[in-house]
Amino acid sequence: MTTPQKSMLRFLILIPHRDCSKALRAYCRSLFASGLPGAWSFPGAIPLAQVSGPFTREELKDAAHKLRGLSIQNERDGKFYSTGTALAQSPGIDAFRFFGIKLGFSKPFEGAEKLPPVNKKVIYGFNTLCLCAALITPEAAAVDRALSRELPSAPGISFRAASIANLSMKPLSTGEAPYSWEWEIGAPVWLPAYKPDKKKNAKYE
């Protein structure tokens, strides 16, 4: 039996524009209807990194610029795209896994050179990024079977507009752990606007 987390967890998250929320809500409903109990237990966001403390507003701005820069590489046109489903975990968290819509975009916070100086707050940068639709326990999902069981297909999504924010999660003293959490999202910072120039060279400001 998995031991529930006892302390607050902190993450840096990417929040897609609300245009994606309708598709995500429908997907969560279908997962819940299919018997996945952890659906609806995480806000409509993408965990980017587990952190030791919240980023300041300036640090969030630096991270937002970094993410926008990465979003224009490899002819992405400033967009983030989905590529099916994903199952992700942070080291040291044994109560649950993140399950959701996978982004074709990985490891934005890997390596000390990526986000100086705020990288000192990053405990773990996610290797796989997903728009979380459910928290899954190792027992309930049997992690090794989670992606092979007959679950509803993930919708295709893409977005340019997004914000970055701090997220804190605290387990509730009552309820059905590992799904019983209260969470709070800090003031978000929008990624810089993407504006391609006439020569098709990406700009953001």
Side-chain angles (χ1 to χ4, degrees):
M1 182 70 179
T2 297
T3 302
Q5 300 294 143
K6 300 295 185 181
S7 59
M8 180 180 292
L9 299 174
R10 295 185 183 275
F11 297 93
L12 193 65
I13 58 172
L14 181 67
I15 307 170
H17 189 273
R18 60 186 179 186
D19 288 349
C20 294
S21 60
K22 183 177 180 180
L24 179 62
R25 287 196 302 268
Y27 185 47
C28 288
R29 283 195 296 270
S30 66
L31 290 175
F32 189 78
S34 73
L36 208 59
W40 301 107
S41 51
F42 194 80
I46 300 140
L48 297 171
Q50 186 181 354
V51 296
S52 59
F55 278 25
T56 67
R57 188 162 185 82
E58 288 305 311
E59 290 170 342
L60 288 173
K61 287 181 179 178
D62 288 344
H65 274 269
K66 179 63 178 178
L67 285 169
R68 175 55 76 211
L70 291 173
S71 77
I72 67 177
Q73 294 178 3
N74 301 321
E75 299 183 354
R76 288 193 182 95
D77 296 328
K79 281 191 174 183
F80 299 87
Y81 297 93
S82 64
T83 59
T85 56
L87 189 67
Q89 178 192 14
S90 276
I93 299 177
D94 59 0
F96 60 83
R97 310 290 187 266
F98 298 96
F99 178 78
I101 304 169
K102 184 178 181 180
L103 295 189
F105 187 81
S106 64
K107 304 181 182 180
F109 293 91
E110 184 184 54
E113 76 284 359
K114 296 294 183 181
L115 280 173
V118 298
N119 60 73
K120 292 182 179 179
K121 293 182 179 178
V122 174
I123 298 173
Y124 173 74
F126 282 86
N127 293 328
T128 301
L129 301 186
C130 67
L131 177 55
C132 187
L135 297 183
I136 298 179
T137 64
E139 293 84 5
V143 174
D144 57 342
R145 302 198 312 270
L147 299 179
S148 62
R149 59 179 295 187
E150 293 184 1
L151 293 175
S153 298
I157 61 168
S158 66
F159 57 93
R160 282 195 183 98
S163 57
I164 190 170
N166 295 296
L167 168 72
S168 60
M169 291 178 63
K170 182 180 180 181
L172 295 174
S173 57
T174 59
E176 194 174 331
Y179 306 119
S180 300
W181 294 79
E182 60 180 353
W183 43 264
E184 181 178 358
I185 298 175
V189 169
W190 285 94
L191 271 62
Y194 169 82
K195 295 182 179 180
D197 66 16
K198 294 180 181 179
K199 296 181 179 179
K200 297 184 180 181
N201 293 321
K203 290 182 177 179
Y204 56 99
E205 56 187 39

